[in-house]
Amino acid sequence: ERDWCSVVCSSALSSGINAEYGPTLKNSVGQCKPERIYTVLRHGSRNFGSSTVDRIDLFLDKLEKMVKFDESENVDLAPEMAWYRNWTRGVYFKDYELVPEGMMEHYSIAKRFKQSFPNLFPSYSISNYSIQATTKMRTVQSALSYMAALLEDTGPLGSSQSRLNISMSGYQPPGIQIDKNSEDKLLRFVDCCPKYENYINTLQWKNESKHFEESSDFISVIKTIAKSFNFEVTIDDVKALYYLCAAELMSPTQAHHSQFCNVFDEAAFSILDFDKSLEKYYKYSYPFKTTYQMSCVLLQNIIMHLESNETTPIFKFAHEETLLPLFSLMGMFDDGVILTHEFPNYTKRKMMTGQIVPFAANIAFIKHSCPGEANSRVQVIVNERDVYIPLCSGSSLSPSSCTVQELKHIVETRADGCNFSSICNVKHGYNDLHIVVGVLFTVVIVQATYIFLHCINWCPGCPKNSHHDHQLLLDDSDDNLDSGCTSDDIVTTQFGGIDATTNSD
Protein backbone atom coordinates (compact mmCIF):
# COMPACT_ATOMS: atom_id res chain seq x y z
CA GLU A 1 0.00 0.00 0.00
CA ARG A 2 1.42 3.37 -1.00
CA ASP A 3 1.75 5.83 1.87
CA TRP A 4 0.58 9.21 0.52
CA CYS A 5 0.45 10.72 4.00
CA SER A 6 3.49 12.89 3.41
CA VAL A 7 1.57 14.78 0.71
CA VAL A 8 -2.13 14.48 1.49
CA CYS A 9 -2.35 13.70 5.17
CA SER A 10 0.21 16.34 6.01
CA SER A 11 0.20 15.43 9.70
CA ALA A 12 2.31 12.38 8.86
CA LEU A 13 5.64 14.18 9.00
CA SER A 14 5.15 15.50 12.51
CA SER A 15 3.18 12.61 14.01
CA GLY A 16 5.85 9.97 13.61
CA ILE A 17 4.15 8.01 10.82
CA ASN A 18 7.22 8.73 8.74
CA ALA A 19 9.73 6.44 10.43
CA GLU A 20 12.77 8.54 9.51
CA TYR A 21 11.43 11.66 11.20
CA GLY A 22 11.54 11.14 14.95
CA PRO A 23 15.13 9.93 15.48
CA THR A 24 16.64 13.11 14.01
CA LEU A 25 15.55 15.16 17.03
CA LYS A 26 18.67 15.66 19.14
CA ASN A 27 21.12 18.18 20.56
CA SER A 28 23.30 18.83 17.52
CA VAL A 29 25.31 21.71 18.94
CA GLY A 30 28.37 19.69 19.93
CA GLN A 31 29.36 19.99 23.58
CA CYS A 32 27.12 23.00 24.11
CA LYS A 33 24.59 22.90 26.91
CA PRO A 34 20.91 23.60 26.12
CA GLU A 35 19.53 26.27 28.44
CA ARG A 36 16.06 27.30 27.27
CA ILE A 37 13.47 26.55 24.61
CA TYR A 38 10.88 28.60 22.71
CA THR A 39 8.55 26.58 20.48
CA VAL A 40 5.80 27.68 18.07
CA LEU A 41 3.46 24.95 16.86
CA ARG A 42 0.61 24.65 14.41
CA HIS A 43 -2.48 22.87 15.70
CA GLY A 44 -2.81 19.16 14.96
CA SER A 45 -4.88 17.35 12.35
CA ARG A 46 -8.46 18.59 12.42
CA ASN A 47 -11.83 18.26 10.77
CA PHE A 48 -11.95 20.12 7.47
CA GLY A 49 -14.75 22.61 8.07
CA SER A 50 -17.93 23.38 6.18
CA SER A 51 -16.66 24.42 2.74
CA THR A 52 -14.46 21.35 2.27
CA VAL A 53 -16.99 18.94 3.76
CA ASP A 54 -19.71 20.35 1.52
CA ARG A 55 -17.45 19.77 -1.48
CA ILE A 56 -16.82 16.17 -0.38
CA ASP A 57 -20.54 15.54 0.16
CA LEU A 58 -21.43 16.94 -3.26
CA PHE A 59 -18.92 14.65 -4.93
CA LEU A 60 -20.08 11.57 -3.00
CA ASP A 61 -23.71 12.36 -3.85
CA LYS A 62 -22.71 12.57 -7.51
CA LEU A 63 -20.78 9.32 -7.29
CA GLU A 64 -23.67 7.56 -5.58
CA LYS A 65 -26.10 8.63 -8.30
CA MET A 66 -23.73 7.45 -11.02
CA VAL A 67 -23.33 4.05 -9.36
CA LYS A 68 -27.11 3.61 -9.08
CA PHE A 69 -27.44 4.57 -12.72
CA ASP A 70 -24.83 1.99 -13.66
CA GLU A 71 -26.66 -0.70 -11.71
CA SER A 72 -29.99 0.08 -13.35
CA GLU A 73 -28.38 -0.06 -16.78
CA ASN A 74 -26.35 -3.15 -15.92
CA VAL A 75 -23.16 -1.21 -16.57
CA ASP A 76 -20.12 -2.02 -14.45
CA LEU A 77 -18.02 0.56 -12.66
CA ALA A 78 -14.51 1.03 -13.91
CA PRO A 79 -12.42 -1.89 -12.59
CA GLU A 80 -10.43 0.46 -10.36
CA MET A 81 -13.63 1.40 -8.52
CA ALA A 82 -15.16 -2.04 -7.96
CA TRP A 83 -14.37 -1.75 -4.24
CA TYR A 84 -16.77 1.20 -3.96
CA ARG A 85 -19.86 -1.06 -3.85
CA ASN A 86 -18.75 -2.29 -0.43
CA TRP A 87 -17.53 1.05 0.84
CA THR A 88 -19.33 2.72 3.76
CA ARG A 89 -19.71 6.47 3.66
CA GLY A 90 -18.39 8.19 6.76
CA VAL A 91 -19.58 11.26 8.62
CA TYR A 92 -17.39 14.30 8.03
CA PHE A 93 -17.63 16.97 10.68
CA LYS A 94 -17.54 20.71 9.97
CA ASP A 95 -16.32 21.98 13.32
CA TYR A 96 -12.54 22.40 12.71
CA GLU A 97 -11.80 20.59 15.98
CA LEU A 98 -8.94 18.12 16.34
CA VAL A 99 -9.38 14.53 15.27
CA PRO A 100 -7.79 11.87 17.52
CA GLU A 101 -4.79 11.79 15.17
CA GLY A 102 -4.23 15.49 15.86
CA MET A 103 -4.26 14.94 19.62
CA MET A 104 -1.71 12.14 19.34
CA GLU A 105 0.54 14.27 17.13
CA HIS A 106 1.16 16.87 19.82
CA TYR A 107 1.29 14.30 22.59
CA SER A 108 4.00 12.40 20.69
CA ILE A 109 5.96 15.55 19.77
CA ALA A 110 6.12 16.57 23.43
CA LYS A 111 7.31 13.10 24.42
CA ARG A 112 10.12 13.20 21.88
CA PHE A 113 11.26 16.71 22.81
CA LYS A 114 11.33 15.88 26.50
CA GLN A 115 13.27 12.70 25.81
CA SER A 116 15.85 14.59 23.72
CA PHE A 117 16.15 17.67 25.97
CA PRO A 118 15.07 16.53 29.48
CA ASN A 119 16.72 19.44 31.33
CA LEU A 120 14.56 21.96 29.41
CA PHE A 121 11.34 20.61 30.94
CA PRO A 122 11.21 21.32 34.71
CA SER A 123 8.55 20.16 37.12
CA TYR A 124 5.34 21.94 36.25
CA SER A 125 3.89 24.98 37.96
CA ILE A 126 1.95 27.89 36.53
CA SER A 127 4.94 30.18 37.03
CA ASN A 128 7.63 28.06 35.36
CA TYR A 129 5.83 27.22 32.10
CA SER A 130 4.48 29.70 29.55
CA ILE A 131 1.75 28.24 27.36
CA GLN A 132 -0.30 30.32 24.93
CA ALA A 133 -2.93 29.41 22.34
CA THR A 134 -5.08 31.44 19.98
CA THR A 135 -8.84 31.66 20.42
CA LYS A 136 -9.46 28.71 18.10
CA MET A 137 -10.54 25.51 19.85
CA ARG A 138 -8.09 23.43 17.81
CA THR A 139 -5.07 25.31 19.18
CA VAL A 140 -6.33 24.96 22.76
CA GLN A 141 -6.87 21.23 22.20
CA SER A 142 -3.35 21.01 20.77
CA ALA A 143 -1.88 22.76 23.81
CA LEU A 144 -3.71 20.43 26.18
CA SER A 145 -2.59 17.37 24.19
CA TYR A 146 1.03 18.55 24.23
CA MET A 147 0.99 19.27 27.94
CA ALA A 148 -0.70 15.94 28.70
CA ALA A 149 2.55 14.26 27.70
CA LEU A 150 4.54 16.49 30.05
CA LEU A 151 2.17 16.38 33.01
CA GLU A 152 1.38 12.68 33.28
CA ASP A 153 1.83 11.33 36.78
CA THR A 154 2.14 14.82 38.25
CA GLY A 155 -1.38 15.69 39.41
CA PRO A 156 -4.49 14.51 41.23
CA LEU A 157 -6.90 13.91 38.35
CA GLY A 158 -7.72 10.30 37.58
CA SER A 159 -5.78 8.94 40.56
CA SER A 160 -7.31 10.44 43.71
CA GLN A 161 -10.20 8.65 45.37
CA SER A 162 -11.37 11.63 47.39
CA ARG A 163 -10.33 15.09 48.53
CA LEU A 164 -9.09 13.51 51.75
CA ASN A 165 -6.87 11.04 49.94
CA ILE A 166 -5.19 13.00 47.15
CA SER A 167 -2.63 11.23 45.02
CA MET A 168 -0.31 13.05 42.62
CA SER A 169 0.12 10.12 40.26
CA GLY A 170 -2.54 11.33 37.83
CA TYR A 171 -2.91 14.33 35.53
CA GLN A 172 -2.85 18.03 36.34
CA PRO A 173 -4.37 20.54 33.90
CA PRO A 174 -2.06 23.33 32.73
CA GLY A 175 -2.78 27.05 32.66
CA ILE A 176 -3.12 28.41 29.12
CA GLN A 177 -3.04 32.07 28.07
CA ILE A 178 -5.58 33.01 25.41
CA ASP A 179 -5.90 36.51 23.93
CA LYS A 180 -8.71 37.51 21.61
CA ASN A 181 -7.69 37.77 17.96
CA SER A 182 -7.90 41.56 17.84
CA GLU A 183 -5.32 41.83 20.65
CA ASP A 184 -3.10 38.88 19.78
CA LYS A 185 -0.47 40.62 17.68
CA LEU A 186 2.04 37.91 18.57
CA LEU A 187 0.27 34.88 17.06
CA ARG A 188 -2.55 36.49 15.05
CA PHE A 189 -0.63 39.29 13.37
CA VAL A 190 -2.64 38.54 10.22
CA ASP A 191 -5.70 39.91 12.04
CA CYS A 192 -3.83 43.03 13.12
CA CYS A 193 -2.50 44.21 9.79
CA PRO A 194 -4.89 46.24 7.57
CA LYS A 195 -2.42 46.32 4.70
CA TYR A 196 -2.31 42.52 4.66
CA GLU A 197 -6.10 42.24 4.94
CA ASN A 198 -6.50 44.53 1.93
CA TYR A 199 -4.15 42.26 -0.02
CA ILE A 200 -6.21 39.20 0.96
CA ASN A 201 -9.44 40.92 -0.04
CA THR A 202 -8.14 41.50 -3.58
CA LEU A 203 -7.88 37.70 -4.00
CA GLN A 204 -4.66 38.20 -5.98
CA TRP A 205 -3.14 35.32 -4.01
CA LYS A 206 -5.46 32.90 -5.85
CA ASN A 207 -4.40 33.87 -9.37
CA GLU A 208 -1.39 31.59 -9.83
CA SER A 209 -3.29 28.58 -8.54
CA LYS A 210 -6.15 29.31 -10.96
CA HIS A 211 -3.70 29.59 -13.86
CA PHE A 212 -2.12 26.27 -12.88
CA GLU A 213 -5.53 24.59 -12.84
CA GLU A 214 -5.83 25.55 -16.52
CA SER A 215 -2.49 23.95 -17.39
CA SER A 216 -2.05 20.73 -19.35
CA ASP A 217 -0.64 19.01 -16.24
CA PHE A 218 -3.72 19.69 -14.16
CA ILE A 219 -6.12 18.86 -17.00
CA SER A 220 -4.33 15.52 -17.39
CA VAL A 221 -5.18 14.70 -13.77
CA ILE A 222 -8.86 15.47 -14.39
CA LYS A 223 -8.90 13.22 -17.45
CA THR A 224 -7.16 10.36 -15.65
CA ILE A 225 -9.58 10.45 -12.73
CA ALA A 226 -12.58 10.68 -15.07
CA LYS A 227 -11.34 7.53 -16.76
CA SER A 228 -11.03 5.77 -13.39
CA PHE A 229 -14.60 6.64 -12.43
CA ASN A 230 -16.02 6.16 -15.92
CA PHE A 231 -17.80 9.54 -15.85
CA GLU A 232 -16.90 13.21 -16.23
CA VAL A 233 -15.37 15.00 -13.24
CA THR A 234 -14.69 18.67 -12.51
CA ILE A 235 -11.89 20.53 -10.73
CA ASP A 236 -14.09 20.61 -7.62
CA ASP A 237 -14.55 16.84 -7.86
CA VAL A 238 -10.79 16.31 -8.03
CA LYS A 239 -10.21 18.53 -4.99
CA ALA A 240 -12.99 16.75 -3.11
CA LEU A 241 -11.28 13.43 -3.81
CA TYR A 242 -7.98 14.86 -2.61
CA TYR A 243 -9.51 15.88 0.72
CA LEU A 244 -11.53 12.68 1.00
CA CYS A 245 -8.28 10.74 0.72
CA ALA A 246 -6.80 12.89 3.50
CA ALA A 247 -9.92 12.55 5.70
CA GLU A 248 -9.77 8.77 5.55
CA LEU A 249 -6.04 8.70 6.23
CA MET A 250 -6.65 10.76 9.39
CA SER A 251 -9.61 8.62 10.48
CA PRO A 252 -8.95 6.37 13.49
CA THR A 253 -11.13 3.66 11.88
CA GLN A 254 -9.27 3.63 8.55
CA ALA A 255 -5.79 2.88 9.99
CA HIS A 256 -4.13 5.29 7.55
CA HIS A 257 -5.63 3.54 4.56
CA SER A 258 -7.94 4.94 1.88
CA GLN A 259 -8.99 3.39 -1.39
CA PHE A 260 -9.72 6.89 -2.68
CA CYS A 261 -6.00 7.66 -2.46
CA ASN A 262 -5.35 4.91 -5.01
CA VAL A 263 -7.24 6.92 -7.63
CA PHE A 264 -4.21 9.22 -7.78
CA ASP A 265 -0.79 8.23 -9.00
CA GLU A 266 2.38 9.87 -7.72
CA ALA A 267 2.42 12.45 -10.52
CA ALA A 268 -1.17 13.47 -9.74
CA PHE A 269 -0.34 13.97 -6.07
CA SER A 270 2.62 16.15 -7.00
CA ILE A 271 0.41 18.27 -9.26
CA LEU A 272 -2.30 18.72 -6.61
CA ASP A 273 0.31 19.43 -3.96
CA PHE A 274 1.85 22.19 -6.11
CA ASP A 275 -1.61 23.66 -6.74
CA LYS A 276 -2.25 23.90 -3.00
CA SER A 277 1.27 25.17 -2.35
CA LEU A 278 0.79 28.07 -4.78
CA GLU A 279 -2.21 29.30 -2.79
CA LYS A 280 -0.41 29.12 0.55
CA TYR A 281 2.79 30.57 -0.90
CA TYR A 282 1.05 33.66 -2.25
CA LYS A 283 -1.07 34.00 0.86
CA TYR A 284 1.59 33.58 3.55
CA SER A 285 5.07 33.76 2.07
CA TYR A 286 7.53 35.59 -0.20
CA PRO A 287 5.49 37.26 -3.01
CA PHE A 288 3.90 39.98 -0.81
CA LYS A 289 6.59 41.44 1.46
CA THR A 290 4.19 42.54 4.18
CA THR A 291 3.15 38.91 4.65
CA TYR A 292 6.44 37.86 6.17
CA GLN A 293 7.53 41.23 7.55
CA MET A 294 4.59 41.37 9.95
CA SER A 295 5.82 38.18 11.65
CA CYS A 296 8.77 40.18 12.99
CA VAL A 297 6.81 40.80 16.20
CA LEU A 298 6.99 37.07 16.92
CA LEU A 299 10.69 36.80 16.12
CA GLN A 300 11.36 39.82 18.34
CA ASN A 301 9.54 38.09 21.19
CA ILE A 302 11.63 34.96 20.64
CA ILE A 303 14.84 37.03 20.71
CA MET A 304 13.75 38.80 23.90
CA HIS A 305 13.26 35.47 25.64
CA LEU A 306 16.58 34.08 24.41
CA GLU A 307 18.39 37.18 25.72
CA SER A 308 16.69 37.20 29.10
CA ASN A 309 17.73 35.38 32.23
CA GLU A 310 14.45 33.47 32.27
CA THR A 311 14.67 29.72 31.65
CA THR A 312 10.90 29.22 31.46
CA PRO A 313 10.03 26.95 28.53
CA ILE A 314 7.64 28.72 26.15
CA PHE A 315 5.09 27.02 23.91
CA LYS A 316 2.87 28.92 21.46
CA PHE A 317 0.06 27.05 19.67
CA ALA A 318 -1.09 28.75 16.51
CA HIS A 319 -1.65 28.27 12.77
CA GLU A 320 0.08 27.88 9.41
CA GLU A 321 -0.41 31.62 8.87
CA THR A 322 1.77 32.11 11.95
CA LEU A 323 4.54 29.70 10.96
CA LEU A 324 4.93 30.18 7.21
CA PRO A 325 5.45 33.98 7.42
CA LEU A 326 8.02 33.38 10.18
CA PHE A 327 9.89 30.82 8.06
CA SER A 328 9.89 33.28 5.16
CA LEU A 329 11.13 36.15 7.33
CA MET A 330 14.09 33.94 8.25
CA GLY A 331 14.82 33.22 4.59
CA MET A 332 13.98 29.52 4.82
CA PHE A 333 12.74 27.31 1.96
CA ASP A 334 13.40 30.05 -0.58
CA ASP A 335 13.72 28.92 -4.20
CA GLY A 336 15.55 32.11 -5.14
CA VAL A 337 12.78 33.24 -7.51
CA ILE A 338 9.08 33.89 -7.05
CA LEU A 339 7.16 30.71 -7.85
CA THR A 340 4.56 30.89 -10.60
CA HIS A 341 2.25 28.38 -12.27
CA GLU A 342 4.93 27.99 -14.95
CA PHE A 343 7.71 27.12 -12.48
CA PRO A 344 9.82 24.38 -14.10
CA ASN A 345 10.39 21.09 -12.29
CA TYR A 346 8.07 22.03 -9.44
CA THR A 347 8.53 18.62 -7.83
CA LYS A 348 12.06 19.72 -6.87
CA ARG A 349 11.12 23.07 -5.34
CA LYS A 350 12.10 24.00 -1.78
CA MET A 351 8.72 25.54 -0.90
CA MET A 352 6.85 22.28 -0.25
CA THR A 353 4.15 23.66 2.04
CA GLY A 354 2.63 20.21 2.63
CA GLN A 355 5.91 19.20 4.28
CA ILE A 356 6.91 22.57 5.74
CA VAL A 357 3.65 23.50 7.50
CA PRO A 358 1.72 20.26 7.91
CA PHE A 359 -0.70 19.84 10.77
CA ALA A 360 1.33 19.95 14.00
CA ALA A 361 4.22 21.69 12.22
CA ASN A 362 6.61 23.25 14.70
CA ILE A 363 9.72 25.35 15.06
CA ALA A 364 11.87 25.28 18.21
CA PHE A 365 14.57 27.75 19.16
CA ILE A 366 16.95 26.21 21.70
CA LYS A 367 19.63 28.43 23.22
CA HIS A 368 22.93 26.72 24.09
CA SER A 369 25.94 27.93 26.04
CA CYS A 370 29.08 26.73 24.30
CA PRO A 371 32.57 26.33 25.79
CA GLY A 372 35.18 28.36 23.99
CA GLU A 373 32.63 30.57 22.18
CA ALA A 374 31.87 34.14 23.18
CA ASN A 375 28.32 34.01 21.80
CA SER A 376 25.65 31.49 22.67
CA ARG A 377 24.32 29.38 19.83
CA VAL A 378 20.63 29.02 18.97
CA GLN A 379 19.71 25.64 17.51
CA VAL A 380 16.75 25.97 15.14
CA ILE A 381 14.64 22.84 14.71
CA VAL A 382 11.76 22.66 12.22
CA ASN A 383 9.41 19.68 12.42
CA GLU A 384 11.94 17.94 14.66
CA ARG A 385 14.83 18.35 12.23
CA ASP A 386 17.78 20.71 12.22
CA VAL A 387 17.41 23.14 9.35
CA TYR A 388 19.90 25.34 7.57
CA ILE A 389 19.16 29.04 8.06
CA PRO A 390 20.59 30.89 5.03
CA LEU A 391 20.83 34.16 6.96
CA CYS A 392 22.92 32.61 9.76
CA SER A 393 26.59 31.73 9.53
CA GLY A 394 26.48 28.58 11.62
CA SER A 395 29.63 27.33 13.33
CA SER A 396 32.01 24.40 13.34
CA LEU A 397 29.99 22.99 16.23
CA SER A 398 26.62 23.39 14.53
CA PRO A 399 26.27 24.48 10.88
CA SER A 400 22.50 24.89 11.36
CA SER A 401 22.64 27.23 14.35
CA CYS A 402 22.38 31.02 14.70
CA THR A 403 23.55 33.59 17.19
CA VAL A 404 21.08 35.94 18.83
CA GLN A 405 22.82 38.81 17.01
CA GLU A 406 22.17 37.12 13.68
CA LEU A 407 18.48 36.79 14.56
CA LYS A 408 18.42 40.49 15.43
CA HIS A 409 20.05 41.27 12.10
CA ILE A 410 17.23 39.39 10.34
CA VAL A 411 14.68 41.67 12.02
CA GLU A 412 16.66 44.80 11.14
CA THR A 413 17.30 43.96 7.51
CA ARG A 414 14.28 41.87 6.52
CA ALA A 415 11.61 43.77 8.44
CA ASP A 416 13.08 47.28 8.54
CA GLY A 417 13.53 47.15 12.29
CA CYS A 418 9.99 45.85 12.85
CA ASN A 419 7.99 49.07 12.93
CA PHE A 420 4.68 47.23 12.84
CA SER A 421 2.63 50.35 12.15
CA SER A 422 4.81 51.22 9.19
CA ILE A 423 4.69 47.66 7.85
CA CYS A 424 0.93 47.28 8.13
CA ASN A 425 -0.64 50.67 7.40
CA VAL A 426 -2.43 50.79 4.09
CA LYS A 427 -0.40 52.77 1.56
CA HIS A 428 -2.13 56.09 0.73
CA GLY A 429 -4.95 54.97 3.02
CA TYR A 430 -6.19 55.95 6.41
CA ASN A 431 -3.92 56.44 9.37
CA ASP A 432 -4.57 56.67 13.10
CA LEU A 433 -5.26 60.43 13.01
CA HIS A 434 -7.78 60.13 10.19
CA ILE A 435 -9.64 57.42 12.10
CA VAL A 436 -9.74 59.35 15.37
CA VAL A 437 -10.90 62.55 13.63
CA GLY A 438 -13.52 60.61 11.68
CA VAL A 439 -14.97 58.97 14.78
CA LEU A 440 -15.04 62.25 16.73
CA PHE A 441 -16.69 64.04 13.82
CA THR A 442 -19.40 61.36 13.62
CA VAL A 443 -20.08 61.54 17.36
CA VAL A 444 -20.32 65.36 17.27
CA ILE A 445 -22.74 65.33 14.32
CA VAL A 446 -25.02 62.72 15.90
CA GLN A 447 -25.07 64.45 19.26
CA ALA A 448 -25.66 67.87 17.67
CA THR A 449 -28.52 66.45 15.61
CA TYR A 450 -30.12 65.00 18.74
CA ILE A 451 -29.82 68.28 20.65
CA PHE A 452 -31.28 70.21 17.73
CA LEU A 453 -34.27 67.88 17.42
CA HIS A 454 -34.82 67.88 21.15
CA CYS A 455 -34.74 71.68 21.38
CA ILE A 456 -37.30 72.28 18.66
CA ASN A 457 -39.39 69.34 19.88
CA TRP A 458 -39.50 68.13 16.27
CA CYS A 459 -40.28 64.60 17.45
CA PRO A 460 -42.98 64.95 20.09
CA GLY A 461 -43.68 61.22 20.05
CA CYS A 462 -40.11 60.29 21.04
CA PRO A 463 -39.68 58.89 24.58
CA LYS A 464 -38.41 61.35 27.16
CA ASN A 465 -35.33 59.21 27.96
CA SER A 466 -34.35 58.84 24.31
CA HIS A 467 -30.85 60.07 25.13
CA HIS A 468 -30.11 56.66 26.63
CA ASP A 469 -31.30 54.93 23.45
CA HIS A 470 -29.09 57.16 21.32
CA GLN A 471 -26.13 56.40 23.59
CA LEU A 472 -26.69 52.68 23.11
CA LEU A 473 -26.64 53.23 19.37
CA LEU A 474 -23.39 55.15 19.62
CA ASP A 475 -21.86 52.44 21.81
CA ASP A 476 -22.91 49.86 19.23
CA SER A 477 -21.19 51.79 16.46
CA ASP A 478 -18.02 52.16 18.50
CA ASP A 479 -17.92 48.41 19.09
CA ASN A 480 -18.11 47.84 15.36
CA LEU A 481 -15.30 50.29 14.72
CA ASP A 482 -12.98 49.07 17.43
CA SER A 483 -12.37 45.62 16.02
CA GLY A 484 -8.70 45.86 15.14
CA CYS A 485 -5.62 45.45 17.35
CA THR A 486 -5.53 47.62 20.43
CA SER A 487 -1.78 48.11 20.51
CA ASP A 488 -0.64 51.73 20.60
CA ASP A 489 1.32 51.48 17.36
CA ILE A 490 -1.32 49.82 15.20
CA VAL A 491 -4.28 51.22 13.32
CA THR A 492 -7.20 50.14 15.48
CA THR A 493 -9.88 49.82 12.83
CA GLN A 494 -10.49 46.98 10.39
CA PHE A 495 -11.18 48.31 6.91
CA GLY A 496 -14.17 46.18 6.05
CA GLY A 497 -11.86 43.17 5.89
CA ILE A 498 -12.69 39.50 6.20
CA ASP A 499 -11.22 36.86 8.51
CA ALA A 500 -8.61 35.68 6.04
CA THR A 501 -7.66 32.58 8.00
CA THR A 502 -10.75 31.08 9.63
CA ASN A 503 -11.50 28.69 6.81
CA SER A 504 -7.93 27.99 5.75
CA ASP A 505 -6.35 26.67 8.88
Side-chain angles (χ1 to χ4, degrees), residues 446-447 450 459 461-478:
V446 172
Q447 292 285 17
Y450 165 72
C459 182
C462 292
K464 296 298 182 182
N465 62 344
S466 59
H467 172 76
H468 175 68
D469 297 329
H470 280 287
Q471 187 60 49
L472 289 178
L473 177 60
L474 288 174
D475 289 344
D476 229 37
S477 299
D478 289 342

Side-chain angles (χ1 to χ4, degrees), residues 1-5 249 256 261-266 269:
E1 175 70 18
R2 296 190 300 260
D3 179 13
W4 295 115
C5 256
L249 286 173
H256 304 301
C261 294
N262 293 334
V263 175
F264 302 98
D265 59 18
E266 187 170 0
F269 270 111

Side-chain angles (χ1 to χ4, degrees), residues 281 286 334-340 343-344:
Y281 177 69
Y286 290 107
D334 185 6
D335 288 280
V337 296
I338 297 299
L339 301 183
T340 71
F343 187 74

Side-chain angles (χ1 to χ4, degrees), residues 80-265:
E80 296 91 338
M81 292 299 299
W83 57 267
Y84 176 76
R85 297 191 188 280
N86 298 317
W87 178 77
T88 302
R89 183 169 178 170
V91 178
Y92 308 104
F93 297 99
K94 302 180 178 182
D95 53 18
Y96 289 106
E97 293 185 15
L98 292 195
V99 296
E101 173 76 14
M103 301 173 193
M104 288 304 301
E105 286 162 359
H106 280 290
Y107 179 87
S108 301
I109 291 169
K111 284 284 191 183
R112 293 193 290 270
F113 264 100
K114 187 175 182 180
Q115 183 178 9
S116 298
F117 301 95
N119 65 309
L120 297 180
F121 297 87
S123 298
Y124 177 79
S125 72
I126 291 289
S127 61
N128 64 9
Y129 273 77
S130 176
I131 309 160
Q132 182 178 355
T134 69
T135 59
K136 304 299 183 183
M137 185 64 70
R138 53 192 175 272
T139 62
V140 177
Q141 290 175 304
S142 297
L144 291 171
S145 300
Y146 191 97
M147 295 306 297
L150 304 181
L151 301 182
E152 289 177 322
D153 305 324
T154 65
L157 303 184
S159 64
S160 302
Q161 301 300 315
S162 70
R163 287 181 294 173
L164 300 178
N165 183 25
I166 294 179
S167 167
M168 298 301 285
S169 60
Y171 172 71
Q172 64 169 313
I176 300 176
Q177 175 187 343
I178 302 172
D179 297 327
K180 63 183 181 180
N181 286 356
S182 61
E183 296 179 354
D184 189 359
K185 187 173 68 170
L186 200 62
L187 300 181
R188 297 295 304 175
F189 41 77
V190 293
D191 293 329
C192 301
C193 190
K195 187 173 182 179
Y196 175 73
E197 287 197 1
N198 279 2
Y199 167 70
I200 291 300
N201 291 344
T202 66
L203 302 181
Q204 294 176 19
W205 51 276
K206 290 188 174 184
N207 290 344
E208 288 300 320
S209 176
K210 288 181 178 178
H211 289 321
F212 185 66
E213 288 167 7
E214 298 169 352
S215 70
S216 58
D217 282 356
F218 202 96
I219 291 172
S220 70
V221 173
I222 296 175
K223 290 180 178 178
T224 300
I225 292 174
K227 184 177 179 181
S228 296
F229 282 98
N230 210 16
F231 62 80
E232 293 297 318
V233 297
T234 65
I235 290 177
D236 280 347
D237 292 336
V238 171
K239 291 182 177 180
L241 266 171
Y242 185 73
Y243 286 117
L244 184 57
C245 165
E248 291 204 324
L249 286 173
M250 290 189 294
S251 169
T253 62
Q254 297 293 331
H256 304 301
H257 172 85
S258 174
Q259 292 280 13
F260 285 104
C261 294
N262 293 334
V263 175
F264 302 98
D265 59 18

Side-chain angles (χ1 to χ4, degrees), residues 242-425:
Y242 185 73
Y243 286 117
L244 184 57
C245 165
E248 291 204 324
L249 286 173
M250 290 189 294
S251 169
T253 62
Q254 297 293 331
H256 304 301
H257 172 85
S258 174
Q259 292 280 13
F260 285 104
C261 294
N262 293 334
V263 175
F264 302 98
D265 59 18
E266 187 170 0
F269 270 111
S270 295
I271 290 167
L272 291 168
D273 180 56
F274 184 55
D275 182 48
K276 192 65 179 174
S277 281
L278 280 173
E279 269 199 14
K280 293 184 179 183
Y281 177 69
Y282 276 84
K283 196 172 185 181
Y284 304 130
S285 190
Y286 290 107
F288 185 55
K289 189 165 66 171
T290 300
T291 301
Y292 62 82
Q293 285 188 328
M294 62 184 173
S295 69
C296 65
V297 290
L298 178 55
L299 185 54
Q300 276 190 330
N301 189 262
I302 293 166
I303 293 169
M304 182 178 68
H305 173 69
L306 296 176
E307 283 194 308
S308 73
N309 294 323
E310 292 290 331
T311 58
T312 303
I314 296 179
F315 305 99
K316 307 286 187 184
F317 295 85
H319 308 268
E320 65 180 357
E321 57 264 35
T322 310
L323 285 169
L324 195 52
L326 178 63
F327 294 164
S328 303
L329 176 65
M330 296 179 68
M332 299 160 64
F333 313 112
D334 185 6
D335 288 280
V337 296
I338 297 299
L339 301 183
T340 71
H341 66 284
E342 297 177 322
F343 187 74
N345 202 14
Y346 49 77
T347 59
K348 302 296 183 181
R349 71 190 185 279
K350 294 180 182 178
M351 183 56 72
M352 296 270 191
T353 59
Q355 297 178 20
I356 296 168
V357 284
F359 290 133
N362 52 87
I363 181 170
F365 297 81
I366 301 178
K367 184 179 179 181
H368 298 253
S369 59
C370 303
E373 286 202 18
N375 296 317
S376 300
R377 306 300 305 181
V378 179
Q379 181 182 3
V380 182
I381 300 173
V382 173
N383 298 337
E384 301 175 71
R385 279 193 181 138
D386 280 343
V387 291
Y388 171 66
I389 310 298
L391 303 177
C392 293
S393 60
S395 72
S396 58
L397 292 175
S398 176
S400 62
S401 65
C402 301
T403 65
V404 172
Q405 288 303 318
E406 286 173 328
L407 295 177
K408 286 183 174 181
H409 186 68
I410 290 173
V411 172
E412 288 298 323
T413 58
R414 301 271 294 167
D416 299 327
C418 200
N419 183 329
F420 196 86
S421 180
S422 175
I423 291 169
C424 286
N425 281 350

